[in-house]
Amino acid sequence: MATASGGDEFVDKFPDEAAIIKASFLIAFVSLGIGAFFGLIQALHRTNVFRVIDSADYYTVLTGHGVLLAIVFTIFFLCGVFHWAVARSLDRPAESALFSWAWVGLMTTGAVLATVAILGGFVPNLGMSADVLFTFYAPLQAHPIFYIGLAMFIVGTWLAGADWFLSYRAWRQEHPDERIPLQTFMVLTTMIMWYISTLGVAVSVVFFLIPWSLGLIESVNPLLTRTLFWYFGHPIVYFWLMPAYLLWYTVLPKLAGGRLFSDPLARVVFVLFLLLSTPVGIHHQYLDPGIAEGFKFIAMTNTMFLLLPSLLTAFTVVASVEHGARQRGGEGYLRWLGALPWRDPAFTGMALAGAMFAAGGFSGMINAGMNINYLIHNTLWVPGHFHLTVGTAVALTMMAGSYWLVPQVTGRKLYSRPIGLLQVIMWFVGMVFMSNAMHRAGLAGIPRRTAEPQYQNFEFLTPIGSIFELRVQIALGGTLLFLSVVLFLFNILLTSLGEESDRPVDSYLPEPLSGPEGSPRILDNLTMWTGIAAVLVVLAYTLPLAGIIQNGGGLFGGGLPVPATVSAGVDLVLTTVTSAFNTLWGVVA
């Protein structure tokens, strides 16, 4: 990490990188604005408070809301943060600005194509739609442009990762004996996890969904595409979270007035996420009959292991923030909380996001539990959970982090700290209303992914409060969240239009209290961790995929999935291996 304070600002030192980051943030913020508007329409329509669209268009809005916020906003912002973190921590520009612009261009083109396909759903005569929701697996089918756009977007992220690995390789040649700077270590481990996890969705999109949407093949195996999606669909949660973790570990302690408690613990956490994030996706499929119960139990067990890096993060980040508070004069067991810089929107937003993530972690344990998941499966509990995680832990951290990052890449001071503070608090309050109501509605059995608030001849009951009260909370929460986004975009726009400043923000990041020198160097062995992660994926998915192909009518479907057993998957693998061995033996003999 850079150790000098008061040196050149980032925008002066790395102008090409600052331009890449600004472009990434611009696309992220445009997507945030559109996606948030769609979210407001959803909240008011679903609760029957105010309806401006036909219920048939609700699913177009729902798909747009999910894709633009969960994929486009988060990942473009992530790319901006990672590009900043690599250049800053390695203290060198990217190897090729042209290559950097290439992945920005490819991701942008892909995002535009996917968005056009989604918006085409509003114009029936256009013959183009993609009402397949954020999860986009079969049997729902989208226009080919949607899948092609997604494929281009993912390839763009792969190129972005290659850009950062090239920077690291060049740095390593000049610093053969040094430890990987922490922020670059976080970026590289996250990207290795991303490469492994996106293989599933790449296979699904390129080999099944695009040919199917083009009419080149008649059918697909729905359970296979669904499983390949969740192979990618759970680790993408950590792909969203890792930039938030990067900011919590390396920026939040500085904003609190202190230093990171432990660099080695941070490295352990990122290695654990690399190893454990991908082999758990089947816990999203507890109710799928084509996957044996034994595989689901294994996925549940693996998922529970993911609590460990989250708990380590809670300990390390809270310890770092407490250290900062005590440096500012805080005392006592809890009174030190009052010494924290609560008037700073960047600090307050990240701190509130971390608190919400703790609540999201508890509701996530319910999702991961194989038996208790049946109670809330496909109910409003599920969107209530991920509005706490990706909708607050990630999104609120990104917005709060922008109040510290945007001045660095634009050279302009934040337009208004009071507006920023109001914005992050408004987001927190809005999410308390909405996610609380969604969780309680889920416990009452109210389903998700439907435009109508009430089924005919059926009445939902709540043990506490009323269904009407839950609807009001969801509508109120959604409205506050949208207004919060408007305030954020207004503040950022006026910041970018402001006058240049010699020192727009204090960008110095102090060294950790416990540095990397006290940790084993094996933590930096990225090749070894990649190999172990790959082996865990093979062990977790080989037999389930074999069973799905065998029981679901082959690679391209054609039959209904049947209840599966572990032995069926074992039999198929043994048959395949035996057949291959006999063939090889016949050739040799």
Side-chain angles (χ1 to χ4, degrees):
M1 291 184 179
T3 55
S5 61
D8 292 341
E9 298 300 326
F10 186 89
V11 66
D12 300 321
K13 197 171 184 180
F14 304 109
D16 291 338
E17 281 62 41
I20 294 288
I21 296 165
K22 283 188 287 187
S24 299
F25 282 1
L26 174 62
I27 300 166
F29 296 155
V30 170
S31 302
L32 173 64
I34 300 173
F37 179 63
F38 283 172
L40 176 66
I41 293 175
Q42 278 179 250
L44 299 180
H45 185 96
R46 171 66 194 260
T47 55
N48 210 22
V49 171
F50 182 66
R51 293 192 159 199
V52 295
I53 59 171
D54 188 87
S55 286
D57 291 331
Y58 177 86
Y59 303 96
T60 303
V61 173
L62 179 59
T63 303
H65 176 69
V67 170
L68 287 173
L69 291 187
I71 294 181
V72 182
F73 161 60
T74 55
I75 296 181
F76 262 107
F77 189 89
L78 171 153
C79 287
V81 169
F82 280 7
H83 208 60
W84 163 81
V86 170
R88 197 206 70 81
S89 60
L90 296 182
D91 196 25
R92 63 182 304 127
E95 293 304 290
S96 167
L98 183 61
F99 185 75
S100 299
W101 281 113
W103 59 256
V104 172
L106 190 59
M107 288 177 62
T108 304
T109 305
V112 169
L113 289 179
T115 304
V116 167
I118 295 170
L119 297 180
F122 290 120
V123 188
N125 294 333
L126 199 59
M128 176 190 299
S129 69
D131 297 346
V132 292
L133 314 184
F134 148 71
T135 43
F136 63 82
Y137 42 70
L140 296 177
Q141 187 184 65
H143 192 275
I145 286 180
F146 176 77
Y147 299 122
I148 293 171
L150 286 179
M152 294 174 66
F153 184 84
I154 290 174
V155 172
T157 64
W158 291 351
L159 296 180
D163 198 4
W164 303 322
F165 271 98
L166 288 172
S167 290
Y168 166 67
R169 186 181 68 171
W171 175 88
R172 175 56 79 193
Q173 290 172 349
E174 299 171 2
H175 306 81
D177 299 322
E178 292 188 22
R179 300 297 297 267
I180 305 174
L182 180 58
Q183 287 188 330
T184 296
F185 178 86
M186 292 172 164
V187 171
L188 299 184
T189 49
T190 302
M191 290 311 300
I192 293 171
M193 182 270 287
W194 182 244
Y195 284 128
I196 293 174
S197 66
T198 46
L199 289 177
V201 75
V203 169
S204 177
V205 169
V206 173
F207 292 101
F208 299 111
L209 297 179
I210 290 178
W212 181 47
S213 63
L214 288 171
L216 300 178
I217 57 177
E218 292 185 358
S219 63
V220 296
N221 183 332
L223 184 56
L224 179 59
T225 65
R226 181 175 163 86
T227 303
L228 290 173
F229 175 85
W230 286 120
Y231 169 91
F232 141 92
H234 192 76
I236 194 177
V237 173
Y238 300 100
F239 195 55
W240 297 327
L241 277 170
M242 291 304 98
Y245 274 43
L246 184 149
L247 295 174
W248 292 350
Y249 273 108
T250 65
V251 176
L252 187 60
K254 172 253 175 31
L255 297 177
R259 298 158 62 185
L260 173 62
F261 179 72
S262 172
D263 173 298
L265 271 181
R267 290 176 195 260
V268 168
V269 164
F270 274 72
V271 167
L272 287 174
F273 278 124
L274 165 61
L275 299 181
L276 301 175
S277 294
T278 306
V280 300
I282 287 176
H283 82 244
H284 289 263
Q285 298 176 269
Y286 285 149
L287 291 184
D288 288 9
I291 300 176
E293 295 296 302
F295 297 138
K296 296 173 183 175
F297 180 81
I298 294 171
M300 178 189 71
T301 306
N302 292 340
T303 305
M304 293 302 176
F305 281 122
L306 277 168
L307 290 172
L308 176 60
S310 296
L311 293 174
L312 287 174
T313 296
F315 168 77
T316 309
V317 173
V318 171
S320 306
V321 169
E322 180 182 351
H323 171 262
R326 297 194 183 281
Q327 297 304 302
R328 301 166 66 93
E331 296 178 342
Y333 289 112
L334 293 175
R335 283 186 292 115
W336 57 267
L337 289 168
L340 291 169
W342 294 109
R343 293 182 182 276
D344 181 348
F347 171 82
T348 301
M350 288 192 208
L352 293 178
M356 277 292 205
F357 184 57
F362 286 116
S363 64
M365 291 170 64
I366 305 300
N367 298 343
M370 190 171 164
N371 51 354
I372 201 167
N373 176 283
Y374 299 155
L375 178 67
I376 48 84
H377 194 85
N378 266 338
T379 69
L380 269 181
W381 173 286
V382 179
H385 163 71
F386 62 68
H387 276 86
L388 286 180
T389 52
V390 65
T392 303
V394 175
L396 184 54
T397 296
M398 289 180 170
M399 288 187 281
S402 298
Y403 294 137
W404 188 75
L405 288 169
V406 169
Q408 289 192 49
V409 298
T410 61
R412 294 165 170 82
K413 287 189 175 182
L414 179 64
Y415 173 72
S416 172
R417 284 165 62 98
I419 291 178
L421 188 60
L422 173 64
Q423 182 264 317
V424 297
I425 292 175
M426 185 179 289
W427 186 276
F428 179 81
V429 173
M431 197 58 79
V432 167
F433 278 118
M434 194 171 80
S435 64
N436 157 65
M438 283 182 165
H439 279 93
R440 289 173 54 206
L443 291 175
I446 297 177
R448 62 169 175 160
R449 292 173 169 171
T450 174
E452 305 307 324
Q454 184 64 53
Y455 291 162
Q456 291 182 348
N457 303 320
F458 185 85
E459 184 177 358
F460 294 107
L461 299 175
T462 59
I464 301 175
S466 66
I467 298 298
F468 174 77
E469 169 242 333
L470 297 180
R471 290 177 188 162
V472 169
Q473 283 202 52
I474 293 173
L476 175 61
T479 303
L480 289 175
L481 293 171
F482 175 72
L483 293 176
S484 176
V485 169
V486 172
L487 286 178
F488 169 75
L489 296 177
F490 173 77
N491 209 359
I492 292 297
L493 175 63
L494 293 185
T495 298
S496 63
L497 297 177
E499 295 183 0
E500 292 187 4
S501 171
D502 293 335
R503 190 171 173 77
V505 69
D506 177 12
S507 59
Y508 170 65
L509 293 181
E511 294 293 332
L513 288 168
S514 173
E517 63 279 356
S519 65
R521 297 186 70 87
I522 198 171
L523 283 174
D524 286 7
N525 191 334
L526 299 180
T527 303
M528 184 187 73
W529 298 124
T530 304
I532 295 174
V535 169
L536 291 176
V537 167
V538 170
L539 291 175
Y541 271 96
T542 300
L543 292 178
L545 286 176
I548 289 168
I549 295 170
Q550 182 184 42
N551 297 311
L555 286 173
F556 300 101
L560 294 175
V562 298
T565 62
V566 172
S567 60
V570 174
D571 290 344
L572 180 61
V573 170
L574 289 177
T575 302
T576 304
V577 172
T578 303
S579 175
F581 177 79
N582 290 336
T583 302
L584 181 63
W585 179 254
V587 172
V588 173

